Amino acid sequence: MKQTFSAYNIIQKKRDKEKLTKDEITWFIEGLTKGEIADYQMSALLMAIYLNGLDKNETVALTDAMLYSGKVLNFPEQYFIDKHSTGGVGDKASFILAPIAAACGVKVPMIAGRGLGHTGGTVDKIESIKGFKTDISLDDFVHLVKERGLVLIGQTGEIAPADKKIYALRDVTATIESIPLITASIMSKKLAEGASGIVMDIKTGNGAFMAKLSDAKKLAESIRQTGLRFHKNMMTVITDMSEPTGNAVGNSLEIIESIETLKGRGPSDLTELSLTLAGGMIYLAGLAKTHKNGIEQAQLALTSGAALDKFRELIESQGGDVNVIDDYSLLPKTKSTFNVLATKNGYITQIDCKSLGMHCVRLGGGRLKTSDKIDFAVGFILNKKCGDKIKKGDTLATIHCHDHQLDLARELGLEMSSKDIVIKAVKNKTKKKLIIEVQTKFAPKLKSKKRK
Ligand code: URA
């Protein structure tokens, strides 16, 4: 590495609350990617950034350096749009909104993540379908999105490799919850996929990384601004994650709920979330005049069955067993179930969403380390949600577990009924809002481009 800067001086500058230049940031990240900057130096810089922040220009410079640490794809046409979520519990909206958007003419190049901590991962969930390949090459990825309009793969080492290293260090140095670091991490990967616009679902509430709404708003602003600086059309949607999305939590259970939603029989919150985000993709793509019109098109694609057909095509084009759509017994399934019963009458006023996510992990449905193996069959169905009226003895949730896990299920069930699902005599005065804020910004360069 050409020694134009010193890692020590850069760390010292950020420690002392000074601004870093684009060249300093680029030099540091290039050094990390080549193995010439040590993990302990990167960790020190991460902690300095965590404590003292980065301004807009520094955040863009970090995103740029992480983006160009690997391959960068480019689909310049306006109708290539991706969606990303900051992660939550029971969030399976991608399986519904991506086929809806594709059925409406959007091309969706989706590189999704695996679950970590209490949150589930899109890639783990889709792998519940026998044969579905998520590790296809970037060449096949490009071919499939152009030919079929929809492709879904996992992170590859070729895309933003600096993020892989940095994320692993953040995970063990208590530096995850930083707005500039989250922005650069998410945006470096999303920008590398080459879509011309991105719909970002930013979760807030006790099951989200940004639990406080004020932080979610700051993250949304940071992500929008960074996307615009890279000439991307951006929509940020802040959505509630203070209870799981839909009712199913666990990999194959969530695939079943997604297919049910594509058949028009899904839970209302999951359906509303999927239509809002798909409508945003259609709007950003330039295929609808307004977001509202995008949502109307999305609704039509759902009710006509066109979105379900697109999902079938996605499974088929990536080697999966399409028969799962009509026969859920082809998905991994546990032999046993355990019902969690309400111990009193009243209304559900609060749910500890993060804790419920961790119960799924304890059953084996999620991972705490990236090397952990996933059990696709386990999880639970949450039968009751916030605001619901409850009678003593009602089934609050049904845990899907293996025979040898019945003691664990009993233990988790007790936690759910005594602590996680709060039942009070009086209903909350204010109803929870699922879609909290939508903001759209078109990058000037792309605004007038029309699909040929
Ligand atoms: N998801 C990411 O990809 N990166 C973060 O930093 C947080 C969520």
Side-chain angles (χ1 to χ4, degrees):
M1 180 162 57
K2 224 165 69 201
Q3 195 70 22
T4 40
F5 297 103
S6 124
Y8 183 97
N9 288 343
I10 292 173
I11 297 165
Q12 186 182 42
K13 264 180 95 175
K14 194 35 72 184
R15 182 199 68 188
D16 295 342
K17 302 191 170 79
E18 287 178 45
K19 292 201 190 311
L20 301 179
T21 65
K22 180 170 177 12
D23 286 347
E24 284 169 331
I25 292 173
T26 306
W27 178 85
F28 208 100
I29 299 302
E30 276 179 11
L32 177 80
T33 310
K34 289 184 200 148
E36 294 166 1
I37 294 272
D39 284 356
Y40 52 81
Q41 289 171 309
M42 187 71 229
S43 301
L45 183 63
L46 288 171
M47 186 53 83
I49 293 173
Y50 178 89
L51 294 172
N52 297 327
L54 294 178
D55 73 7
K56 259 190 224 164
N57 289 334
E58 290 174 302
T59 305
V60 169
L62 179 61
T63 307
D64 186 82
M66 287 165 67
L67 164 66
Y68 287 103
S69 66
K71 271 199 181 157
V72 179
L73 302 175
N74 189 23
F75 303 109
E77 297 90 348
Q78 189 180 344
Y79 49 89
F80 281 83
I81 305 289
D82 191 16
K83 167 264 175 188
H84 186 75
S85 149
T86 53
V89 181
D91 181 11
K92 68 281 286 174
S94 286
F95 304 122
I96 302 138
L97 62 90
I100 290 178
C104 293
V106 180
K107 297 219 182 251
V108 188
M110 194 174 268
I111 302 185
R114 294 196 180 272
L116 198 60
H118 70 281
T119 67
T122 299
V123 172
D124 297 324
K125 292 171 197 179
I126 198 81
E127 284 179 354
S128 317
I129 300 174
K130 197 163 159 245
F132 194 102
K133 270 175 73 66
T134 57
D135 58 349
I136 58 180
S137 70
L138 279 184
D139 285 346
D140 288 344
F141 175 80
V142 172
H143 173 76
L144 276 176
V145 72
K146 287 186 175 165
E147 289 295 308
R148 305 282 187 134
L150 175 56
V151 60
L152 170 54
I153 66 168
Q155 274 303 317
T156 91
E158 294 164 284
I159 294 280
D163 178 62
K164 200 167 178 203
K165 283 195 171 186
I166 292 172
Y167 199 92
L169 293 175
R170 286 168 63 207
D171 205 24
V172 292
T173 56
T175 51
I176 292 278
E177 296 91 349
S178 148
I179 287 171
L181 293 178
I182 295 177
T183 301
S185 167
I186 291 178
M187 290 305 285
S188 60
K189 288 176 290 209
K190 290 289 114 182
L191 293 166
E193 287 171 29
S196 72
I198 304 161
V199 174
M200 276 293 318
D201 179 6
I202 295 168
K203 304 286 187 196
T204 188
N206 68 52
F209 282 121
M210 291 285 122
K212 284 196 343 227
L213 179 58
S214 53
D215 287 337
K217 286 189 175 192
K218 281 185 205 148
L219 179 61
E221 166 78 16
S222 171
I223 283 180
R224 266 194 322 273
Q225 292 304 332
T226 305
L228 284 177
R229 294 276 287 267
F230 286 89
H231 308 287
K232 303 293 177 186
N233 294 332
M234 298 296 300
M235 177 181 281
T236 52
V237 185
I238 300 181
T239 65
D240 180 65
M241 187 36 74
S242 58
E243 62 181 350
T245 308
N247 302 96
V249 178
N251 300 284
S252 73
L253 293 172
E254 292 193 41
I255 291 295
I256 294 171
E257 190 169 72
S258 303
I259 298 171
E260 282 293 292
T261 306
L262 285 165
K263 290 176 180 171
R265 304 191 290 245
S268 57
D269 59 345
L270 175 61
T271 306
E272 183 189 351
L273 177 68
S274 306
L275 290 173
T276 304
L277 298 171
M281 294 169 79
I282 298 164
Y283 176 44
L284 282 196
L287 301 172
K289 284 208 170 68
T290 59
H291 185 200
K292 186 165 169 279
N293 177 243
I295 295 172
E296 287 159 2
Q297 291 189 37
Q299 178 71 67
L300 267 177
L302 187 64
T303 39
S304 68
L308 182 64
D309 289 345
K310 261 286 163 204
F311 190 62
R312 201 184 296 273
E313 197 183 327
L314 170 75
I315 297 176
E316 188 260 320
S317 68
Q318 293 191 223
D321 181 0
V322 286
N323 296 316
V324 296
I325 289 184
D326 303 305
D327 182 357
Y328 301 147
S329 73
L330 296 171
L331 286 159
K333 193 172 183 301
T334 63
K335 282 213 183 86
S336 298
T337 54
F338 178 85
N339 283 336
V340 182
L341 304 183
T343 54
K344 57 180 166 183
N345 297 330
Y347 296 89
I348 299 184
T349 55
Q350 207 180 320
I351 289 180
D352 188 337
C353 187
K354 186 169 183 179
S355 177
L356 293 189
M358 284 314 295
H359 294 339
C360 184
V361 175
R362 282 188 68 192
L363 287 163
R367 57 168 75 75
L368 287 170
K369 304 191 294 298
T370 34
S371 55
D372 287 346
K373 208 169 164 335
I374 292 278
D375 183 337
F376 297 116
V378 298
F380 56 86
I381 303 290
L382 189 64
N383 298 308
K384 305 284 179 186
K385 306 268 297 259
C386 281
D388 284 354
K389 189 172 182 182
I390 303 295
K391 276 213 315 272
K392 186 175 171 181
D394 279 353
T395 303
L396 296 175
T398 303
I399 298 177
H400 290 240
C401 59
H402 299 292
D403 295 349
H404 67 273
Q405 294 180 306
L406 277 166
D407 282 345
L408 173 62
R410 212 164 281 124
E411 187 191 317
L412 299 178
L414 188 62
E415 266 190 57
M416 281 185 180
S417 60
S418 65
K419 179 180 86 51
D420 300 333
I421 303 173
V422 179
I423 300 173
K424 295 230 167 111
V426 182
K427 204 174 177 168
N428 284 344
K429 280 207 180 70
T430 48
K431 202 170 175 290
K432 224 179 255 308
K433 228 175 140 191
L434 176 65
I435 312 293
I436 298 166
E437 181 192 279
V438 180
Q439 295 236 18
T440 310
K441 288 267 182 266
F442 283 93
K445 210 179 84 175
L446 292 168
K447 195 171 182 177
S448 59
K449 271 201 177 175
K450 283 271 177 307
R451 184 169 187 182
K452 284 184 203 110

